[in-house]
Amino acid sequence: ATRDAGSVGSRPHASSMMGGATEGLARWVRRFEAPCAAATYATCSILMVILNKLVVTTYDFNYPFVLILAQNASALAFVALLKAFGLVDYPRANWQLIKRWTPLTVLFVAMLVTSLLALEKLSVQVSTMIKNTAIVTTAVGDACLFKHAFNRVTLAAFLLLLAGSVLGVTNDAWVTTEGLVWAIVNVLVTSSFQLYMKTLLNDLKDQMGKWGPVYYNNFMSLPPLALMSVHSYGAWSAAIQVEVVKSPWVVANVLVLMVVSALMTMSSFWCIAVTSPTTYGVIGGFTKAPLTILGIYIFHQYPTPAGVVGIVGSLAGGLLYSHAVNAEKERLAKLKELEGAPAESARDELVQVVTDPRDGGDPDPDPPGSFHTRPPTKHADSTHDDRPVRSSSRLTGRHPGHFTASAAAVRGG
């Protein structure tokens, strides 16, 4: 009886020890999850550019449509696998959504193709600097279409970014006319893609959900990419055999790219989920520095002293823009609080939408179309006035109805 009593008395102690160990493990996971997610996203972002550059230049694999087709197919398979396990959800393909999404898919394919073609003909640092200017063109389009105003810090960031890009490009020995043309087209297409996605998701955000854009972009891009791949190959089966015989590393690199492409899709969502869209954008900005350094070292495309100044100026302009956007978000959040909105209303009940960052560039801290607000919720308080506060649009410099919410709301602060 004594042994039984002792064994019974020891069970709560063992259970509490197990609970303490589990809680300690959970704290450890929570502590390191955000750095791991950020590191995974940053690593995938850099690897996508470096590996694409290696395949199309070092191994002379001049089949961009095949390369993008393989990456999109792997990303689509990964998202479908996540849905099969119930980890994500997105709407089934239907003709109404397909018809409305087709123009965006055309822009998506054009964005990926022109990005790869520009990367093939330019050095990594010049390609990065020119793509950075998409921040400016997108912001200008946003101002024209949605009446968003610029502050002085934002304008200073634009000037620094553009001046650095011009200085870096004009002092780079590996600049080609064809590469510049593809890079400029990529900037325009990228801005068009982001602005059109913003317009489209304003109407379809409730139908698309978080993962809808990733699924539809990759799913609908496969048929045109497959057709262009067959056309670009000609006798494509013979070309595959020649490439494999010439360098087996081509196949290995393409397979690695497919894996990285799938991981990029996962890590971008993971990074946003455990940090915030603001942190996600800042990480994208900071990855450009190691990406530029690695590109210079791996491909031996060393810039001149003036080119180094241009690279630094371009990267600094991008980081200053990130700072300006984050500061504006904080200011707008404080204005909402001063207007007396409750916490839920101040957060604007963000609807998170995963975008695809695999064009080789890096997303803005709050890319257009990535986060949208639902209509304001009516409160039970009879004294609450649902009319818009006119002073808000004057103070923020934004058109009523186009308020960009605090990115921290994704994780409740």
Side-chain angles (χ1 to χ4, degrees):
T2 304
R3 285 197 302 270
D4 292 343
S7 62
V8 171
S10 65
R11 286 175 188 170
H13 178 65
S15 177
S16 63
M17 289 180 62
M18 183 64 69
T22 304
E23 185 178 350
L25 179 62
R27 283 200 302 268
W28 186 88
V29 170
R30 285 195 299 268
R31 180 179 179 183
F32 291 99
E33 185 179 11
C36 287
T40 304
Y41 166 67
T43 302
C44 290
S45 180
I46 293 172
L47 282 177
M48 285 294 295
V49 178
I50 297 296
L51 290 175
N52 273 315
K53 179 72 172 177
L54 272 173
V55 170
V56 300
T57 57
T58 303
Y59 298 117
D60 198 26
F61 189 82
N62 297 316
Y63 305 107
F65 300 120
V66 176
L67 201 56
I68 297 171
L69 175 65
Q71 296 173 32
N72 285 15
S74 63
L76 179 64
F78 183 75
V79 174
L81 185 65
L82 291 178
K83 183 176 182 179
F85 283 97
L87 299 176
V88 303
D89 192 27
Y90 50 81
R92 292 183 178 181
N94 64 77
W95 283 112
Q96 293 299 324
L97 282 176
I98 288 176
K99 285 190 293 185
R100 297 200 62 182
W101 206 261
T102 297
L104 193 66
T105 300
V106 173
L107 292 172
F108 178 69
V109 172
M111 180 177 66
L112 296 180
V113 170
T114 55
S115 174
L116 190 57
L117 292 174
L119 185 63
E120 180 183 4
K121 302 296 181 181
L122 298 172
S123 62
V124 172
Q125 60 267 26
V126 168
S127 176
T128 302
M129 284 188 291
I130 296 177
K131 287 177 183 177
N132 225 11
T133 61
I135 294 174
V136 180
T137 54
T138 303
V140 171
D142 211 26
C144 295
L145 295 175
F146 304 105
K147 309 302 181 184
H148 288 182
F150 302 138
N151 56 37
R152 281 180 287 185
V153 178
T154 303
L155 291 175
F158 290 166
L159 291 175
L160 185 59
L161 195 153
L162 291 173
S165 298
V166 170
L167 185 61
V169 170
T170 54
N171 287 276
D172 190 88
W174 292 271
V175 171
T176 65
T177 303
E178 183 181 356
L180 281 178
V181 170
W182 285 123
I184 293 171
V185 172
N186 176 256
V187 168
L188 298 176
V189 171
T190 299
S191 296
S192 301
F193 172 81
Q194 292 181 340
L195 293 170
Y196 186 74
M197 176 175 273
K198 178 174 184 175
T199 303
L200 189 62
L201 289 180
N202 279 333
D203 298 330
L204 299 178
K205 61 178 180 285
D206 292 332
Q207 301 178 49
M208 297 302 294
K210 295 179 181 180
W211 285 83
V214 176
Y215 169 75
Y216 271 84
N217 280 336
N218 288 286
F219 169 71
M220 294 179 61
S221 69
L222 295 186
L225 284 172
L227 290 175
M228 290 186 288
S229 298
V230 173
H231 176 71
S232 65
Y233 259 124
W236 58 273
S237 59
I240 290 176
Q241 295 173 7
V242 171
E243 291 296 338
V244 170
V245 171
K246 186 172 71 172
S247 176
W249 286 105
V250 171
V251 175
N253 276 272
V254 171
L255 291 176
V256 171
L257 265 172
M258 293 174 68
V259 174
V260 173
S261 178
L263 289 176
M264 187 76 177
T265 302
M266 180 273 295
S267 62
S268 60
F269 176 77
W270 184 26
C271 187
I272 293 176
V274 300
T275 57
S276 71
T278 302
T279 304
Y280 173 75
V282 171
I283 294 169
F286 274 105
T287 56
K288 293 177 182 177
L291 171 62
T292 300
I293 295 171
L294 283 174
I296 292 171
Y297 176 77
I298 292 173
F299 302 104
H300 306 289
Q301 296 176 327
Y302 301 100
T304 63
V308 172
V309 174
I311 292 171
V312 172
S314 175
L315 296 178
L319 293 176
L320 181 61
Y321 173 75
S322 298
H323 170 73
V325 170
N326 295 339
E328 179 70 4
K329 288 178 182 179
E330 292 178 1
R331 188 176 70 87
L332 292 175
K334 289 179 181 178
L335 283 174
K336 291 285 288 184
E337 292 177 2
L338 291 175
E339 290 171 2
E344 292 78 5
S345 178
R347 290 173 183 169
D348 278 347
E349 301 178 3
L350 281 180
V351 178
Q352 182 183 351
V353 178
V354 180
T355 55
D356 198 312
R358 290 181 297 109
D359 64 330
D362 294 308
D364 294 338
D366 192 7
S370 296
F371 299 90
H372 305 280
T373 57
R374 294 194 182 102
T377 305
K378 291 186 178 181
H379 300 275
D381 187 359
S382 60
T383 61
H384 177 72
D385 191 354
D386 287 327
R387 291 175 298 177
V389 181
R390 296 187 179 182
S391 60
S392 174
S393 61
R394 290 199 300 271
L395 289 170
T396 61
R398 296 174 181 264
H399 189 273
H402 292 293
F403 169 75
T404 302
S406 171
V410 171
R411 289 185 54 81

